[in-house]
């Protein structure tokens, strides 16, 4: 056994001995005033797809003060969310900074009625431990995930088995509620949400003005990047798709992305004959505001796909290895295309024909 494994085993054993709590099968809640949700282990897309959990809590308890612990990777999607009263960014790299550490402790010790650790893709020991360190009357977390035991379930006094294998095509927006459904918390509205304000809208409008968009021209956004290479549709196909749309429709295109997407953005710019607007390294609410002003948004299966999913703008999401029934945005005018585990098995014709279908429906 390696030194790391020995250390991990020692830490786990110590935590179990010192911090274990008794599990109780009681699903009653007494009108909580403060709830803490720990979602520092989720990617941006996972978090946005699970906004239904925040909505459900606020529908059930409108006056509750909802605090969420986020991460540096996902907090940008929640900074103005109308369901969240407070948020804190948990950054492991800063944990030994005394000032930061005391801020974390202050957040954890705020006398919560309930702490909840949702689970989607995987169980996080760190999130489970944070829930136990929080000062709270009740801690709700997963007993298991898809038949696999949560080895740190001893940190919760309300342990909920989560099993999605019986419903493999359910959307994550529904799955996110499984942790609280036994307690009578649910919603019929699974749509995600990014709250943006006038400043964000003004930023979007200024950018659109810079494109010199005419009144009769469509505004179409594209996101050709993705963190996972297998989720990136061919850049050459994006270039050809732009040309085909431009040949038939008056249009202005823009591309969203971050510094991580520069290679993909530069490739499309250098291989396309069109002038493309570039909306890069912007705050998530600003991106949502711009997409909300667009006629169509086309994206790979990635975090910005979920940002677009929070708007009412018609959307085409291109999928490869991921199950779109689980992860595609839901709602009116939200479309996805998937032909196989290989994203490039999606043809240009597939996207173009769906694009025309959406445009024709908008005109009628």
């Amino acid at each position: 056994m390696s030194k790391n494994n020995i250390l991990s085993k020692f830490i786990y054993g110590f935590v179990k001995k010192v911090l274990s709590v008794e599990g109780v099968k009681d699903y009653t809640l007494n009108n909580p005033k403060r709830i803490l949700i720990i979602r520092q282990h989720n990617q941006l897309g996972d978090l946005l797809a699970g906004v239904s959990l925040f909505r459900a809590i606020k529908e059930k308890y409108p006056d509750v003060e909802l605090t969420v612990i986020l991460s540096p990777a996902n907090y940008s999607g929640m900074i103005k969310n109308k369901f969240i009263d407070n948020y804190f960014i948990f950054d492991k790299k800063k944990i030994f900074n005394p000032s930061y550490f005391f801020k974390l402790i202050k957040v954890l010790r705020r006398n919560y009625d309930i702490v909840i650790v949702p689970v989607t893709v995987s169980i996080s020991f760190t999130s489970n431990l944070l829930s136990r360190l929080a000062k709270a009357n009740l801690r709700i977390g997963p007993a298991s995930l898809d038949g696999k035991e949560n080895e740190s379930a001893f940190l919760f006094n309300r342990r909920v088995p989560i099993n999605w294998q019986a419903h493999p095509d359910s959307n994550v927006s529904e799955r996110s509620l499984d942790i609280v459904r036994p307690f009578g918390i649910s919603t019929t509205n699974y749509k995600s949400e990014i709250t943006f304000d006038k400043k964000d809208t003004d930023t979007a409008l200024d950018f659109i003005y810079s494109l010199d968009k005419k009144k009769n021209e469509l505004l179409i956004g594209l996101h050709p990047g993705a963190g996972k290479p297998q989720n990136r549709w061919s850049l050459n196909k994006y270039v050809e798709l732009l040309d085909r749309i431009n040949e038939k429709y008056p249009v202005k295109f823009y591309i969203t992305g971050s510094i991580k997407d520069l290679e993909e953005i530069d490739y499309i710019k250098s291989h396309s004959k069109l002038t493309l607007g570039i909306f890069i390294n912007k705050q998530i609410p600003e991106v949502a505001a711009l997409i909300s002003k667009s006629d169509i948004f086309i994206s790979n299966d990635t975090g910005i796909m979920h940002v677009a999913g929070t708007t009412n703008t018609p959307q085409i999401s291109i999928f490869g290895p991921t199950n779109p029934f689980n992860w595609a945005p839901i709602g009116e005018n939200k479309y996805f295309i998937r032909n196989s585990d290989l994203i490039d098995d999606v043809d240009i014709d597939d996207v173009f024909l769906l694009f025309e279908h959406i445009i024709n429906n908008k005109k009628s």
Side-chain angles (χ1 to χ4, degrees):
M1 182 180 293
S2 70
K3 290 183 179 180
N4 285 339
N5 287 337
I6 293 173
L7 180 61
S8 296
K9 190 173 182 179
F10 172 78
I11 293 173
Y12 176 83
F14 177 79
V15 169
K16 186 172 184 179
K17 184 176 181 179
V18 175
L19 297 178
S20 289
V21 295
E22 182 182 358
V24 179
K25 290 186 177 180
D26 180 0
Y27 299 114
T28 59
L29 300 178
N30 296 318
N31 195 27
K33 302 300 181 185
R34 285 181 175 175
I35 293 178
L36 173 66
I37 298 180
I38 301 175
R39 302 213 66 166
Q40 63 84 29
H41 56 287
N42 295 126
Q43 297 297 317
L44 174 63
D46 303 11
L47 184 62
L48 286 175
V51 166
S52 52
L53 173 63
F54 306 146
R55 178 185 287 108
I57 290 172
K58 284 292 190 174
E59 287 179 356
K60 180 76 172 181
Y61 305 109
D63 298 325
V64 75
E65 182 182 299
L66 185 59
T67 299
V68 183
I69 293 182
L70 303 165
S71 76
N74 66 25
Y75 83 95
S76 58
M78 296 290 115
I79 54 178
K80 297 178 183 178
N81 189 285
K82 66 183 182 182
F83 302 120
I84 297 175
D85 298 293
N86 313 293
Y87 71 87
F88 182 82
I89 303 170
F90 178 74
D91 189 341
K92 292 181 181 179
K93 295 179 181 178
K94 296 181 179 180
I95 199 70
F96 294 109
N97 179 311
S99 175
Y100 176 82
F101 179 77
F102 284 115
K103 288 178 182 177
L104 170 62
I105 295 301
K106 186 177 180 180
V107 169
L108 291 175
R109 308 302 292 174
R110 291 191 63 225
N111 291 318
Y112 300 100
D113 296 292
I114 306 171
V115 179
I116 304 170
V117 180
V119 60
T120 51
V121 176
S122 61
I123 292 171
S124 167
F125 175 75
T126 301
S127 292
N128 297 348
L129 180 59
L130 288 173
S131 76
R132 179 63 180 89
L133 296 177
K135 188 175 182 180
N137 299 323
L138 198 68
R139 298 174 183 86
I140 301 172
S144 58
L145 177 61
D146 292 339
K148 183 178 180 180
E149 180 186 0
N150 175 11
E151 295 181 351
S152 53
F154 57 80
L155 296 168
F156 303 107
N157 47 22
R158 300 294 187 274
R159 305 164 187 173
V160 181
I162 305 295
N163 189 350
W164 298 324
Q165 293 176 337
H167 305 283
D169 287 336
S170 61
N171 193 274
V172 71
S173 61
E174 301 175 68
R175 292 180 173 185
S176 296
L177 294 168
D178 286 355
I179 195 74
V180 295
R181 278 197 176 98
F183 301 89
I185 299 174
S186 191
T187 182
T188 57
N189 183 356
Y190 300 123
K191 195 174 186 301
S192 190
E193 167 77 28
I194 292 177
T195 307
F196 52 85
D197 55 26
K198 183 179 184 299
K199 184 178 178 181
D200 302 315
T201 301
D202 288 344
T203 298
L205 291 174
D206 287 344
F207 174 76
I208 294 171
Y209 180 80
S210 73
L211 299 178
D212 193 28
K213 178 185 173 299
K214 305 298 187 297
K215 189 174 182 179
N216 67 322
E217 289 180 318
L218 299 171
L219 181 63
I220 299 175
L222 307 162
H223 190 84
K228 300 176 182 177
Q230 63 269 30
N231 287 5
R232 298 175 195 157
W233 197 45
S234 166
L235 297 177
N236 288 326
K237 288 185 176 180
Y238 269 112
V239 171
E240 187 173 338
L241 176 66
L242 296 180
D243 288 341
R244 288 185 62 176
I245 294 173
N246 184 67
E247 288 172 1
K248 193 168 181 179
Y249 300 92
V251 61
K252 279 289 190 297
F253 294 104
Y254 68 87
I255 300 177
T256 61
S258 70
I259 194 168
K260 296 178 181 178
D261 304 309
L262 280 179
E263 185 177 343
E264 288 82 7
I265 293 172
D266 287 343
Y267 185 94
I268 292 177
K269 283 179 62 180
S270 62
H271 287 77
S272 175
K273 63 186 179 183
L274 306 175
T275 300
L276 306 173
I278 306 300
F279 201 70
I280 191 169
N281 288 337
K282 300 297 184 180
Q283 294 289 323
I284 292 298
E286 294 173 338
V287 178
L290 175 59
I291 295 173
S292 73
K293 299 295 182 183
S294 306
D295 292 287
I296 296 181
F297 194 78
I298 302 170
S299 172
N300 294 331
D301 166 25
T302 190
I304 294 299
M305 173 189 74
H306 294 285
V307 174
T310 67
T311 72
N312 294 323
T313 296
Q315 176 176 355
I316 299 174
S317 303
I318 305 172
F319 276 79
T322 311
N323 184 347
F325 291 103
N326 297 153
W327 292 102
I330 61 175
E332 188 177 0
N333 290 328
K334 302 299 179 183
Y335 302 89
F336 66 80
I337 301 174
R338 179 183 184 271
N339 290 336
S340 77
D341 283 346
L342 299 175
I343 193 168
D344 276 334
D345 281 348
V346 174
D347 294 326
I348 297 168
D349 281 345
D350 297 327
V351 182
F352 184 73
L353 290 174
L354 179 53
F355 168 85
E356 289 206 301
H357 169 77
I358 294 169
I359 291 300
N360 290 334
N361 280 350
K362 283 174 69 73
K363 291 179 179 179
S364 61

